[in-house]
Amino acid sequence: MNNNEKENEKFFNLKRTIDAATSQVNQDTIQKYGSAAKEHIVAYSGVDNEHGRVLTRSLKSVAKSKVNPKYAQQNLKQQAGFSAEIVETSRENAENIIQGKETRIIRTDDLGRVNDPLYDHVEIDSSGNIITGSGSQMKFVGKNPSDCLDKLMSSKFQKYRDNDVSYNVSSDFYDDIQKEIEQRVTKLEAQMQNAKKRGDTALAQKHQNKIDELCKVKRNMKKSRVSNADAMEARVSPKLFTAKEIHNVSHRAGMEGAKSGAIVGGGIATVQNIVDVVRGKKDFDEAVFDISKTTAFSAGTGYVMTYGSTALKACMQNSSTTLIRSLSKTNMPAAIVTTAVSSIKSIGQYFSGEISGTECLETIGKTGAATVSSMAYGAVGQMLIPIPVAGAIVGSMIGYTLSSLCYSNLMNALNRAKLAKEERIRVERECTEAIKAIRAYRKEMNEYMDAYLNDYRTAFNNAFQNIKTALSIGDVDGCIDGFNQITRKLGGDVKFNNMEEFDKRMKDSSPFIL
């Protein structure tokens, strides 16, 4: 291996280490933001496969609503109001997930309360219980802020004011409506004072009542997460709108991933370059340049990996297939994206003729194909073997073994066309790497099993010690208790706890089933 190949191998190993570390660090971010992005997929499709719910309306179904050509603008405005309710729900719930809040909002229609007389939304806790006083209305009405306020103050909406219902108005109207209310209140206060001076108490009271109504609207009015433009776009182009929503959430996740990537990549590069400087392999300026380069590259990679993993996790989480939903809760989305990102350079080199198909597959294989397969079979194993941890261990072992065999066979088949010497050298190298991987995997499995079984080992040792002590002093009840400790730990049903219960059970004529 020449110096250039050694440098490439060193860079590859560094990149692989940074990518793996960044993927692990960002796993919580991917899970959190992926679940948030999934809310927008549900809003579009109207189906929440994760929780087995079908919504009464979705962005997709609203977009299919009929429009009368004579009243097109009016129809679209009304239908955009329904879209606004759906988008408000998905955005609010997505933000709650990102912030770690357990509460969610839900449309009253989706609770079976279609056309609820007072509320469009209510808030529910983690158990699905409606939180008292959380009801609210969506009011995307009016051609402009002033017109919207006129409608909110009209007799048509009197019932909402009487019941002190909260209003969510479009985000682009909110600030101007607040100013409009202040101006109207100021004007009414002046008119009320003039009426009082003239002794017209009835008119003064009328002005006061209007002021009270305006103040109530102002107090109960909230700024929606949705603008009029958002609502109309969601009505007219729901697919594009949903793609933008997922992009926005994924972008936020990507920015978090970029920060983690920079910290991880910069940290690893700093340590390695300091060592190189101390050993005299690099001067200080070279080390600083390499650290900056690696940090920037790691930040970019962290963004791309986290962005892609978040979007993929969202799609997987709402899949109609149980297995895929299970995989979304693992590191699988990150592993797939990491493998894809890492493979892009190799694929580009293959198509440009810089490397052969064999070399391309070999590089891609190194980037994590076995890891992805192992995770997939791990999820399958956990489903088929419903014992905590054990199923995942067995599944991962099967996945790792099968993926390794398939990859090895494919490589051998491609390499048969090469010279015997080249084949022998490559096979020897692969065997060496395989042996290292097997040893590392076996060590990992031993550590995994030790951690898993440690609790049982401790319980059994304590039980056997109690039995030994009981036998040495002739304590029959203590001996029975020791055996019962083992039975309970293994999930068995204890039939008796002492000698007295044992005698009673032996005298019982009913069948004794072990």
Side-chain angles (χ1 to χ4, degrees):
M1 186 180 289
N2 57 41
N3 290 333
N4 188 40
E5 288 177 336
K6 288 181 179 179
E7 286 299 317
N8 287 337
E9 183 69 18
K10 182 179 179 181
F11 175 77
F12 175 81
N13 290 334
L14 174 61
K15 182 178 179 300
R16 182 169 56 184
T17 300
I18 292 174
D19 287 351
T22 302
S23 176
Q24 290 298 321
V25 169
N26 288 327
Q27 182 58 20
D28 287 343
T29 299
I30 293 168
Q31 289 294 318
K32 180 170 61 177
Y33 282 87
S35 294
K38 172 242 175 185
E39 293 296 316
H40 297 298
I41 296 177
V42 173
Y44 170 77
S45 66
V47 179
D48 187 343
N49 288 308
E50 183 181 18
H51 299 105
R53 291 190 295 114
V54 177
L55 310 184
T56 55
R57 277 196 180 98
S58 66
L59 296 182
K60 184 178 179 180
S61 66
V62 173
K64 293 180 179 179
S65 301
K66 294 182 179 180
V67 175
N68 188 327
K70 295 182 180 180
Y71 308 100
Q73 195 60 36
Q74 182 179 343
N75 289 166
L76 288 174
K77 176 73 173 176
Q78 181 182 18
Q79 292 163 12
F82 293 128
S83 296
E85 291 180 18
I86 298 168
V87 175
E88 179 77 11
T89 304
S90 60
R91 285 185 175 179
E92 181 71 18
N93 288 337
E95 194 60 34
N96 283 352
I97 291 171
I98 292 171
Q99 298 301 326
K101 297 179 181 178
E102 294 186 352
T103 58
R104 302 287 183 269
I105 67 167
I106 188 169
R107 295 175 65 243
T108 50
D109 284 2
D110 295 326
L111 287 173
R113 292 158 50 180
V114 179
N115 296 324
D116 187 281
L118 292 178
Y119 307 119
D120 290 326
H121 290 102
V122 290
E123 191 172 8
I124 58 176
D125 59 24
S126 58
S127 300
N129 301 313
I130 298 175
I131 298 175
T132 304
S134 63
S136 63
Q137 265 282 333
M138 290 283 289
K139 288 303 174 190
F140 275 51
V141 294
K143 299 176 182 179
N144 52 55
S146 180
D147 188 31
C148 179
L149 180 57
D150 287 340
K151 285 181 168 52
L152 293 177
M153 290 292 294
S154 67
S155 58
K156 181 180 179 181
F157 295 148
Q158 184 66 47
K159 62 180 179 179
Y160 302 121
R161 297 195 297 276
D162 291 343
N163 287 279
D164 217 23
V165 176
S166 295
Y167 301 87
N168 280 332
V169 298
S170 63
S171 58
D172 50 324
F173 278 5
Y174 178 82
D175 292 335
D176 289 334
I177 293 176
Q178 290 284 324
K179 293 177 182 177
E180 180 73 17
I181 290 175
E182 291 174 1
Q183 292 173 0
R184 292 189 186 185
V185 167
T186 300
K187 185 177 180 179
L188 284 168
E189 286 177 342
Q191 291 175 346
M192 181 179 64
Q193 292 302 323
N194 289 333
K196 286 182 177 180
K197 289 178 181 179
R198 297 194 305 269
D200 192 342
T201 56
L203 181 59
Q205 185 60 48
K206 183 178 179 181
H207 290 323
Q208 182 62 57
N209 291 339
K210 286 185 177 180
I211 291 172
D212 292 340
E213 293 281 274
L214 283 166
C215 290
K216 180 180 289 188
V217 169
K218 182 179 181 181
R219 182 176 66 251
N220 291 333
M221 186 166 45
K222 297 179 181 178
K223 191 174 187 177
S224 171
R225 293 183 180 274
V226 186
S227 67
N228 280 297
D230 290 335
M232 187 58 68
E233 184 180 10
R235 162 60 186 87
V236 177
S237 305
K239 283 186 179 179
L240 178 61
F241 180 82
T242 301
K244 288 181 179 180
E245 294 290 277
I246 295 173
H247 161 72
N248 291 335
V249 175
S250 298
H251 172 68
R252 291 174 63 182
M255 294 304 293
E256 294 296 321
K259 295 176 187 177
S260 301
I263 293 172
V264 172
I268 294 175
T270 299
V271 172
Q272 289 196 347
N273 279 275
I274 289 175
V275 172
D276 287 344
V277 169
V278 172
R279 290 178 175 175
K281 294 182 178 180
K282 292 181 181 178
D283 59 33
F284 181 76
D285 291 339
E286 286 179 316
V288 171
F289 176 78
D290 285 347
I291 291 171
S292 301
K293 178 182 176 182
T294 303
T295 301
F297 181 83
S298 300
T301 302
Y303 175 89
V304 172
M305 287 167 51
T306 309
Y307 178 104
S309 300
T310 298
L312 180 58
K313 173 350 191 228
C315 296
M316 292 175 67
Q317 188 172 340
N318 202 48
S319 170
S320 59
T321 305
T322 303
L323 172 59
I324 295 178
R325 292 202 301 272
S326 298
L327 292 176
S328 74
K329 299 176 183 178
T330 69
N331 203 24
M332 171 67 90
I336 293 174
V337 173
T338 301
T339 301
V341 171
S342 301
S343 302
I344 291 174
K345 182 179 179 181
S346 299
I347 295 173
Q349 289 176 326
Y350 168 70
F351 282 111
S352 64
E354 296 179 36
I355 60 175
S356 66
T358 301
E359 291 170 325
C360 178
L361 285 177
E362 183 178 0
T363 304
I364 292 174
K366 287 181 179 180
T367 60
T371 303
V372 175
S373 179
S374 178
M375 288 181 179
Y377 280 99
V380 173
Q382 191 65 74
M383 292 173 63
L384 297 178
I385 308 173
I387 301 174
V389 182
I393 294 175
V394 174
S396 294
M397 290 176 65
I398 296 173
Y400 184 86
T401 302
L402 290 178
S403 62
S404 298
L405 284 174
C406 292
Y407 176 70
S408 179
N409 289 334
L410 178 60
M411 292 302 298
N412 287 336
L414 289 171
N415 282 329
R416 289 192 190 103
K418 289 187 173 287
L419 298 175
K421 183 179 179 180
E422 292 178 349
E423 184 175 359
R424 178 177 55 79
I425 293 173
R426 187 179 297 278
V427 169
E428 289 176 352
R429 186 189 306 167
E430 289 181 357
C431 287
T432 301
E433 293 299 321
I435 291 171
K436 290 181 181 178
I438 290 170
R439 287 175 177 170
Y441 188 69
R442 183 170 59 190
K443 179 182 178 182
E444 180 182 344
M445 288 299 301
N446 287 337
E447 292 174 351
Y448 212 164
M449 293 302 294
D450 284 344
Y452 175 56
L453 296 176
N454 184 58
D455 184 40
Y456 287 89
R457 185 182 295 111
T458 302
F460 292 166
N461 286 339
N462 290 337
F464 288 136
Q465 184 60 46
N466 291 342
I467 293 171
K468 180 180 178 181
T469 301
L471 289 174
S472 66
I473 61 176
D475 182 6
V476 178
D477 287 348
C479 187
I480 292 174
D481 181 64
F483 283 113
N484 282 347
Q485 289 178 37
I486 297 175
T487 301
R488 292 190 184 97
K489 192 63 181 177
L490 293 174
D493 183 23
V494 173
K495 303 299 182 182
F496 43 83
N497 293 295
N498 49 52
M499 194 62 189
E500 182 180 351
E501 291 182 9
F502 175 77
D503 290 337
K504 184 177 180 180
R505 186 68 187 86
M506 289 299 100
K507 295 176 182 178
D508 193 337
S509 60
S510 61
F512 185 79
I513 302 174
L514 292 175

